[in-house]
Amino acid sequence: MNEAEIKERVAAFLAEHDPDGDRLEFLRARFDAGLAWVWFPEGLGGLGVSRELQQVVERELAGTPELNAGVQGIGLGMAAPTILAFGTEEQKRRFLRPLWTGEEIWCQLFSEPGAGSDLATLATRAVKDGDEWVVDGQKVWTSGAHHSRWAILVTRTDPDVPKHRGMTYFICDMHAPGVEVRPLRQITGEAEFNEVFLTGVRLPDDLRLGEVGDGWRVAQTTLMNERVAIGGAPVRRGGGMVGVVTDSWRAHPELRTHDLHQRLLSLWVEAEVTRLSGVRLREQLAAGQPGPEGSGMKLSFAKLNQALSGFEVEFGRDLGYDDWTFRRSEDVDFYGRGPGYRYLRAKGNSIEGGTSEILRNIISERVLGLPSEPRVDKDVPWKDLPR
Amino acid sequence: MTLLYSEVEEELRAAVRGLLADRCPPAAVLKRIESEPYDLDLWKTLAGEIGVAGLLIPEQYGGAGASASEAAVVLEELGRGVAPVPFFTSSVLATRALLATGDTLLEELAEGRKTAALAVPFAASPYRTGAAVRLEDGRLTGTVAGVAGADVADVLLVPVGGRLHAVEGGALVQAVPSLDQTRPVATVTFDGAEARDVGECDLAEVLRFGAGLLASEQLGVAEWCLDTTLAHVRERHQFARPIGSFQAIKHRLADLWLDVVRARAAARSAATDGSAVSVAVAQSWNAGVAVHAAEEALQLHGGIGMTWEHPVHLYLKRAKAAEIALGTPGDHRAALASLVDVPGPE
């Protein structure tokens, strides 16, 4: 299918469905028409065509009801590609549509207090009991668990084999008895994260995603998609975080100093070259030649966001903070809050979704082909690992 | 417009890279730097057989009529090889100055029969141009220090008061010991030299064009440094394992790779749109990345990196000299202040 043909599809769809009518009905119809994510298969919100055509659809449907990419981020960016890759036909049909329309919000039950960067050491147990699995454990840093209907969950099902081999991946029903969500207040004052306690949670076997013991491979798909999702959306030259900072710079000539001027110009350049590599990466993807550049985008955005938000606080010379009120936020709203919030929240950018240190390991081993560090835990059964 | 390389550009790259691998490996460059740094036989082949000399010259003057982005790919390869040929000084800088005039000299440059150099200091900035040479009765007098490519040029192109003057013979060119041994600079003295007025010259524009393309050469320098260092840390063992398996080294190389990835995007942007902002961005970034890559290469090679026999010093010298050439990163950042409306203190 080419650009003209997809435009015809969109026009035909718009002729039949009124964007000013019921929002949810419109989104459902859009999914059913295959215009949700065009690279997905037909019947699952897509048309089985190349991903670049999605941009055409978005352009043609501008001004019609939109998704809430913030709240639905984990569902769209991580759960959906994983379900598509590993789900049964029944799971795909059951979950993808309400995920996309936003009727059901998703969260990600991966990290644990004892398993962050070394995620494969996780200890949440799932034990088979008839047609069900019984899950016990504790997860942490779960964004949006407080309004989620479903979660993607990785558990330990075999403690007798080395850590990467004994895991199984599930879809977790967040309304099941035994799921308890507790807010985790952050340095910004708000709680976008949670601790999730799983006590005797019973999940039917048809909520398993992938084979028993294959959880690590399934999780890899999720994690790769996570980093792409965090890598950043296209911005215009001088836009995004650097735009916020330069707007503030232009508005306050009385606060400018020579030192800050030099630093801001350096950051502006770094933001621009980072933006240009994002443009180049998207061009490569569109041309069907994905380059390794994607691996580095999250790392550079994290560094840049932290430098810019730190700069902004220093420039403003304001010792106040906009609002410490404890709140349960729906998503991360960098631009809706003050410089102090931006500075504090950006500290998470180099930790969430893979720390910058882990990303540097991945780049050096998978992109640059450097040898890995010696792994002392590779052949040791999980139950014998020091903890 | 795209930031990717075209097929034609990749073919051109392969031709240049192949020739350099054959005729001009870093060991060969190293051997000749103390006697005759320039390899004029290599230049003859590059200019004549691959046709790089006339790349930027329109077909009507016998050139290839190619765009800046093709010249940029050649520069990436010449940077990778720290190739001692006058492509940048003659076929980019001097040629760009001459293009506006349509002078017949272009035909000789296109064929590679003659080589030219722009008689301005290589450290001149596009944002501050001034002439050290004065014109009286069609004759030139004055001294220009730090001119790159002058020692191998048949023609010197001298910008004076918005006009370009050609001098063939009649100037005293003295090579001086240069930081960059693969692109030495010379002091050029005119003492009532006969000159031919060849037409108008917007020197700032010519220097800006050169600065934009120099970013691609800097990318090539940085890529060689990164690749060579990666090969070294995979091979070199200490503490019973390759040193490339230590995180202290891996993380530095991952960061360097990311800097180089961004340098490639910046170089492509400067070569394809050539706007003042793109050039200033590319020079602000790439000049520093090339120097940093060479410094990291030297450090991560350990003691061998500090020796004369290892070519990494050629790259460090090229990178540091190119950082200063055609505006320092600071000059380009200062220019951005007004170009993108980030004004300084009042």
Side-chain angles (χ1 to χ4, degrees):
Chain A
M1 190 174 283
N2 61 26
E3 192 169 332
E5 286 163 342
I6 199 120
K7 277 185 180 171
E8 263 175 51
R9 284 264 185 155
V10 178
F13 170 73
L14 281 174
E16 278 185 40
H17 301 277
D18 177 14
D20 298 324
D22 183 74
R23 177 177 183 277
L24 190 55
E25 284 308 320
F26 183 84
L27 288 176
R28 284 176 176 161
R30 180 175 162 185
F31 184 93
D32 295 338
L35 299 172
W37 31 42
V38 295
W39 67 100
F40 272 48
E42 287 190 59
L44 296 174
L47 298 167
V49 300
S50 86
R51 192 172 182 148
E52 69 204 85
L53 290 173
Q54 186 67 29
Q55 295 170 22
V56 181
V57 174
E58 298 302 334
R59 266 202 310 275
E60 296 296 304
L61 289 178
T64 66
E66 282 182 11
L67 309 182
N68 186 339
V71 183
Q72 284 169 259
I74 289 165
L76 295 166
M78 293 150 234
T82 313
I83 293 169
L84 182 69
F86 291 95
T88 60
E89 283 312 305
E90 201 174 4
Q91 286 170 335
K92 292 179 202 172
R93 274 196 307 278
R94 163 64 187 85
F95 292 111
L96 290 175
R97 190 179 190 247
L99 180 158
W100 189 83
T101 59
E103 289 163 86
E104 292 176 348
I105 301 301
W106 287 68
C107 64
Q108 180 177 342
L109 297 171
F110 275 33
S111 294
E112 298 181 6
S117 289
D118 189 5
L119 178 63
T121 53
L122 58 83
T124 291
R125 291 289 303 273
V127 178
K128 191 86 186 283
D129 180 21
D131 285 343
E132 290 184 325
W133 294 83
V134 181
V135 183
D136 285 280
Q138 183 193 346
K139 296 287 181 176
V140 75
W141 320 129
T142 314
S143 304
H146 49 293
H147 52 243
S148 290
R149 176 67 188 82
W150 299 102
I152 41 180
L153 165 71
V154 194
T155 65
R156 172 120 353 245
T157 44
D158 186 352
D160 297 322
V161 295
K163 60 180 185 176
H164 289 97
R165 284 189 245 147
M167 285 182 279
T168 303
Y169 197 115
F170 291 95
I171 290 167
C172 178
D173 181 351
M174 293 297 283
H175 291 177
V179 176
E180 189 199 344
V181 176
R182 292 187 205 159
L184 202 52
R185 196 176 184 195
Q186 294 154 231
I187 59 174
T188 55
E190 67 180 15
E192 76 192 68
F193 302 152
N194 302 275
E195 298 177 289
V196 178
F197 294 84
L198 304 160
T199 315
V201 177
R202 300 190 79 86
L203 300 175
D205 189 55
D206 59 15
L207 285 181
R208 177 166 46 80
L209 205 55
E211 298 305 313
V212 174
D214 203 24
W216 182 247
R217 194 163 68 96
V218 184
Q220 286 299 306
T221 301
T222 310
L223 295 175
M224 302 241 270
N225 279 287
E226 178 174 39
R227 281 157 202 158
V228 172
I230 294 176
V235 286
R236 64 185 169 78
R237 178 182 266 173
M241 188 69 91
V242 77
V244 172
V245 177
T246 47
D247 283 349
S248 158
W249 177 269
R250 285 170 194 139
H252 295 284
E254 76 284 1
L255 294 174
R256 294 177 199 157
T257 67
H258 289 286
D259 167 53
L260 289 171
H261 191 225
Q262 297 302 317
R263 284 161 54 195
L264 178 55
L265 288 167
S266 291
L267 288 170
W268 196 94
V269 168
E270 186 169 347
E272 173 63 4
V273 296
T274 306
R275 184 189 73 85
L276 286 168
S277 359
V279 172
R280 200 161 181 277
L281 177 65
R282 280 187 293 279
E283 285 182 352
Q284 285 175 315
L285 289 172
Q289 319 153 342
E293 280 89 339
S295 314
M297 293 313 281
K298 180 192 177 269
L299 186 57
S300 32
F301 276 110
K303 187 164 157 271
L304 195 56
N305 259 10
Q306 292 176 349
L308 281 165
S309 57
F311 176 93
E312 190 187 11
V313 172
E314 187 182 340
F315 171 64
R317 298 181 188 225
D318 179 0
L319 296 177
Y321 185 78
D322 60 342
D323 186 4
W324 287 119
T325 309
F326 177 75
R327 65 180 94 183
R328 300 287 272 146
S329 50
E330 296 266 298
D331 58 4
V332 185
D333 183 14
F334 269 115
Y335 305 123
R337 297 281 304 271
Y341 172 86
R342 281 192 276 281
Y343 169 69
L344 295 172
R345 182 57 186 83
K347 291 290 155 224
N349 292 162
S350 51
I351 302 169
E352 59 200 348
T355 64
S356 291
E357 288 68 26
I358 292 294
L359 293 179
R360 287 187 181 97
N361 283 354
I362 291 173
I363 290 169
S364 50
E365 290 174 20
R366 300 197 196 149
V367 180
L368 305 180
L370 293 178
S372 55
E373 295 247 336
R375 300 246 158 92
V376 293
D377 57 354
K378 219 171 132 192
D379 301 314
V380 182
W382 175 82
K383 64 178 169 44
D384 298 332
L385 290 176
R387 233 179 320 273
Chain B
M1 195 154 50
T2 168
L3 299 180
L4 305 181
Y5 297 101
S6 70
E7 266 178 49
V8 173
E9 284 160 8
E10 291 297 1
E11 282 165 21
L12 184 59
R13 178 199 302 287
V16 176
R17 186 178 287 194
L19 181 68
L20 293 182
D22 251 17
R23 299 261 301 266
C24 176
V29 180
L30 201 52
K31 206 179 276 177
R32 51 186 313 141
I33 49 168
E34 285 176 283
S35 48
E36 292 270 332
Y38 283 99
D39 186 342
L40 295 177
D41 281 338
L42 173 70
W43 175 235
K44 211 175 277 173
T45 311
L46 269 171
E49 287 173 27
I50 301 185
V52 302
L55 214 49
L56 291 172
I57 298 174
E59 287 168 10
Q60 65 183 108
Y61 302 113
S67 70
S69 53
E70 279 140 18
V73 171
V74 172
L75 281 165
E76 284 180 24
E77 294 307 312
L78 296 178
R80 266 181 171 277
V82 278
V85 293
F87 177 76
F88 185 73
T89 49
S90 178
S91 313
V92 175
L93 269 186
T95 295
R96 178 71 174 194
L98 208 54
L99 276 179
T101 69
D103 191 81
T104 52
L105 192 52
L106 282 168
E107 290 165 25
E108 292 176 283
L109 292 187
E111 288 172 15
R113 268 194 286 135
K114 278 189 181 165
T115 298
L118 195 60
V120 297
F122 202 40
S125 141
Y127 314 110
R128 232 184 357 240
T129 54
V133 181
R134 53 179 204 283
L135 181 73
E136 281 162 11
D137 305 325
R139 287 171 177 272
L140 296 173
T141 302
T143 299
V144 191
V147 180
D151 47 342
V152 283
D154 305 298
V155 190
L156 291 169
L157 297 174
V158 195
V160 185
R163 309 282 303 176
L164 196 64
H165 305 266
V167 175
E168 296 194 49
L172 179 64
V173 177
Q174 281 175 305
V176 299
S178 301
L179 177 64
D180 179 0
Q181 297 178 291
T182 57
R183 185 158 54 207
V185 292
T187 302
V188 177
T189 308
F190 302 99
D191 185 10
E194 259 184 66
R196 183 168 66 85
D197 183 324
V198 292
E200 279 186 29
C201 178
D202 180 350
L203 183 58
E205 193 276 333
V206 172
L207 296 179
R208 194 181 76 199
F209 179 80
L213 284 187
L214 188 59
S216 288
E217 191 193 275
Q218 287 159 331
L219 168 64
V221 167
E223 282 182 333
W224 183 90
C225 292
L226 176 59
D227 292 349
T228 304
T229 307
L230 287 169
H232 176 74
V233 302
R234 278 186 213 117
E235 290 303 316
R236 170 78 173 164
H237 280 63
Q238 293 285 272
F239 305 100
R241 49 195 261 222
I243 60 170
S245 68
F246 290 96
Q247 283 192 344
I249 288 173
K250 289 160 94 164
H251 286 195
R252 284 167 69 164
L253 288 168
D255 283 337
L256 183 58
W257 173 77
L258 205 49
D259 286 349
V260 173
V261 161
R262 292 183 284 182
R264 186 173 304 114
R268 283 279 92 188
S269 158
T272 48
D273 90 21
S275 70
V277 173
S278 298
V279 169
V281 165
Q283 271 304 310
S284 302
W285 185 258
N286 289 25
V289 170
V291 172
H292 181 56
E295 289 176 347
E296 288 289 82
L298 196 152
Q299 174 68 21
L300 296 177
H301 273 80
I304 188 77
M306 200 58 204
T307 64
W308 193 265
E309 67 181 290
H310 194 285
V312 70
H313 63 90
L314 299 177
Y315 290 83
L316 179 66
K317 292 163 185 172
R318 170 67 69 93
K320 196 65 192 170
E323 183 186 44
I324 296 159
L326 305 176
T328 65
D331 294 335
H332 290 281
R333 280 196 295 271
L336 279 172
S338 57
L339 288 169
V340 302
D341 188 26
V342 180
E346 283 165 3

